[in-house]
Short mmCIF file of all heavy atoms in Angstrom, two decimals:
data_model
loop_
_atom_site.label_atom_id
_atom_site.label_comp_id
_atom_site.label_asym_id
_atom_site.label_seq_id
_atom_site.Cartn_x
_atom_site.Cartn_y
_atom_site.Cartn_z
N ALA A 57 3.03 15.62 7.17
CA ALA A 57 2.43 15.01 8.39
C ALA A 57 0.96 15.55 8.30
O ALA A 57 0.72 16.74 8.38
CB ALA A 57 3.09 15.46 9.65
N VAL A 58 0.01 14.58 8.19
CA VAL A 58 -1.36 15.02 7.88
C VAL A 58 -2.39 14.46 8.89
O VAL A 58 -3.57 14.59 8.70
CB VAL A 58 -1.75 14.55 6.47
CG1 VAL A 58 -0.95 15.28 5.42
CG2 VAL A 58 -1.55 13.04 6.31
N GLY A 59 -1.92 13.87 9.98
CA GLY A 59 -2.86 13.42 11.01
C GLY A 59 -3.87 12.43 10.53
O GLY A 59 -3.53 11.37 10.01
N THR A 60 -5.14 12.77 10.67
CA THR A 60 -6.25 11.81 10.33
C THR A 60 -6.37 11.45 8.87
O THR A 60 -7.04 10.56 8.50
CB THR A 60 -7.57 12.34 10.88
OG1 THR A 60 -7.76 13.62 10.27
CG2 THR A 60 -7.58 12.49 12.40
N ALA A 61 -5.70 12.28 7.97
CA ALA A 61 -5.80 12.04 6.53
C ALA A 61 -4.70 11.12 6.03
O ALA A 61 -4.45 11.00 4.81
CB ALA A 61 -5.76 13.34 5.80
N ASP A 62 -4.03 10.38 6.89
CA ASP A 62 -2.92 9.50 6.53
C ASP A 62 -3.37 8.37 5.65
O ASP A 62 -4.28 7.65 6.00
CB ASP A 62 -2.25 8.97 7.79
CG ASP A 62 -0.94 8.24 7.55
OD1 ASP A 62 -0.61 8.07 6.35
OD2 ASP A 62 -0.28 7.92 8.50
N GLN A 63 -2.79 8.27 4.49
CA GLN A 63 -3.17 7.25 3.53
C GLN A 63 -2.00 6.29 3.26
O GLN A 63 -2.05 5.58 2.24
CB GLN A 63 -3.66 7.88 2.22
CG GLN A 63 -4.92 8.72 2.38
CD GLN A 63 -6.11 7.87 2.75
OE1 GLN A 63 -6.34 6.81 2.22
NE2 GLN A 63 -6.85 8.34 3.74
N LEU A 64 -0.97 6.33 4.04
CA LEU A 64 0.15 5.45 3.74
C LEU A 64 -0.18 3.98 3.75
O LEU A 64 0.34 3.18 3.04
CB LEU A 64 1.31 5.70 4.75
CG LEU A 64 2.26 6.86 4.47
CD1 LEU A 64 3.45 6.87 5.38
CD2 LEU A 64 2.77 6.87 2.96
N ASP A 65 -1.12 3.62 4.61
CA ASP A 65 -1.51 2.18 4.70
C ASP A 65 -2.13 1.76 3.38
O ASP A 65 -1.89 0.66 2.86
CB ASP A 65 -2.39 1.87 5.86
CG ASP A 65 -3.70 2.61 5.85
OD1 ASP A 65 -3.81 3.60 5.13
OD2 ASP A 65 -4.58 2.20 6.59
N SER A 66 -2.96 2.63 2.76
CA SER A 66 -3.63 2.29 1.48
C SER A 66 -2.54 2.21 0.38
O SER A 66 -2.60 1.33 -0.52
CB SER A 66 -4.62 3.35 1.11
OG SER A 66 -5.67 3.40 2.03
N LEU A 67 -1.57 3.07 0.42
CA LEU A 67 -0.48 3.03 -0.58
C LEU A 67 0.31 1.69 -0.38
O LEU A 67 0.69 1.07 -1.37
CB LEU A 67 0.43 4.22 -0.37
CG LEU A 67 1.67 4.25 -1.32
CD1 LEU A 67 1.28 4.24 -2.74
CD2 LEU A 67 2.47 5.52 -1.02
N LEU A 68 0.54 1.30 0.87
CA LEU A 68 1.29 0.09 1.09
C LEU A 68 0.52 -1.11 0.53
O LEU A 68 1.13 -2.02 -0.05
CB LEU A 68 1.52 -0.10 2.61
CG LEU A 68 2.49 -1.25 2.92
CD1 LEU A 68 3.42 -0.85 4.06
CD2 LEU A 68 1.68 -2.47 3.34
N VAL A 69 -0.84 -1.11 0.65
CA VAL A 69 -1.56 -2.22 0.11
C VAL A 69 -1.42 -2.25 -1.39
O VAL A 69 -1.23 -3.35 -1.95
CB VAL A 69 -3.10 -2.00 0.46
CG1 VAL A 69 -3.99 -2.93 -0.38
CG2 VAL A 69 -3.32 -2.29 1.95
N SER A 70 -1.37 -1.12 -2.06
CA SER A 70 -1.18 -1.08 -3.50
C SER A 70 0.19 -1.70 -3.86
O SER A 70 0.30 -2.45 -4.80
CB SER A 70 -1.33 0.29 -4.04
OG SER A 70 -2.57 0.84 -3.81
N VAL A 71 1.24 -1.36 -3.08
CA VAL A 71 2.55 -1.92 -3.34
C VAL A 71 2.51 -3.39 -3.14
O VAL A 71 3.09 -4.18 -3.95
CB VAL A 71 3.60 -1.21 -2.44
CG1 VAL A 71 4.97 -1.91 -2.55
CG2 VAL A 71 3.71 0.30 -2.77
N TYR A 72 1.94 -3.82 -2.09
CA TYR A 72 1.82 -5.27 -1.77
C TYR A 72 1.15 -6.01 -2.92
O TYR A 72 1.65 -7.07 -3.39
CB TYR A 72 1.08 -5.43 -0.44
CG TYR A 72 0.74 -6.89 -0.19
CD1 TYR A 72 1.62 -7.67 0.59
CD2 TYR A 72 -0.43 -7.51 -0.62
CE1 TYR A 72 1.35 -9.01 0.81
CE2 TYR A 72 -0.69 -8.83 -0.38
CZ TYR A 72 0.23 -9.59 0.37
OH TYR A 72 -0.08 -10.92 0.61
N GLN A 73 -0.01 -5.45 -3.35
CA GLN A 73 -0.76 -6.17 -4.40
C GLN A 73 0.03 -6.25 -5.70
O GLN A 73 0.01 -7.23 -6.44
CB GLN A 73 -2.11 -5.53 -4.62
CG GLN A 73 -3.02 -5.71 -3.38
CD GLN A 73 -4.33 -4.93 -3.47
OE1 GLN A 73 -4.35 -3.90 -4.16
NE2 GLN A 73 -5.32 -5.41 -2.79
N THR A 74 0.81 -5.20 -6.00
CA THR A 74 1.67 -5.21 -7.18
C THR A 74 2.70 -6.27 -7.05
O THR A 74 3.01 -7.04 -8.02
CB THR A 74 2.32 -3.84 -7.35
OG1 THR A 74 1.32 -2.82 -7.57
CG2 THR A 74 3.24 -3.81 -8.56
N LEU A 75 3.38 -6.36 -5.90
CA LEU A 75 4.38 -7.40 -5.73
C LEU A 75 3.78 -8.78 -5.74
O LEU A 75 4.41 -9.71 -6.27
CB LEU A 75 5.10 -7.19 -4.33
CG LEU A 75 5.88 -5.92 -4.22
CD1 LEU A 75 6.36 -5.76 -2.75
CD2 LEU A 75 7.08 -5.98 -5.16
N GLN A 76 2.60 -8.93 -5.24
CA GLN A 76 1.96 -10.28 -5.26
C GLN A 76 1.57 -10.66 -6.67
O GLN A 76 1.79 -11.83 -7.08
CB GLN A 76 0.73 -10.27 -4.34
CG GLN A 76 0.16 -11.68 -4.11
CD GLN A 76 -1.01 -11.63 -3.16
OE1 GLN A 76 -2.08 -11.13 -3.48
NE2 GLN A 76 -0.78 -12.09 -1.93
N SER A 77 1.01 -9.70 -7.41
CA SER A 77 0.58 -10.04 -8.77
C SER A 77 1.78 -10.41 -9.68
O SER A 77 1.66 -11.12 -10.69
CB SER A 77 -0.21 -8.92 -9.39
OG SER A 77 0.59 -7.72 -9.53
N SER A 78 2.96 -9.85 -9.34
CA SER A 78 4.12 -10.11 -10.17
C SER A 78 4.89 -11.34 -9.65
O SER A 78 5.93 -11.70 -10.21
CB SER A 78 5.07 -8.91 -10.12
OG SER A 78 5.59 -8.68 -8.78
N GLY A 79 4.38 -11.98 -8.61
CA GLY A 79 5.02 -13.20 -8.12
C GLY A 79 6.13 -13.01 -7.11
O GLY A 79 6.73 -14.00 -6.68
N VAL A 80 6.41 -11.78 -6.74
CA VAL A 80 7.45 -11.57 -5.73
C VAL A 80 7.05 -12.07 -4.40
O VAL A 80 7.81 -12.62 -3.59
CB VAL A 80 7.83 -10.07 -5.68
CG1 VAL A 80 8.85 -9.78 -4.57
CG2 VAL A 80 8.35 -9.60 -7.01
#
């Protein structure tokens, strides 16, 4: 739990873009 340093949304974008580029 890191408060203002939360980067989960950026990680989620990376996952999303990977799924999109693979056609999922």
Side-chain angles (χ1 to χ4, degrees):
V58 295
T60 57
D62 191 350
Q63 297 296 314
L64 276 189
D65 61 343
S66 297
L67 177 58
L68 188 140
V69 167
S70 297
V71 172
Y72 172 89
Q73 291 173 336
T74 299
L75 293 173
Q76 191 176 71
S77 64
S78 65
V80 175

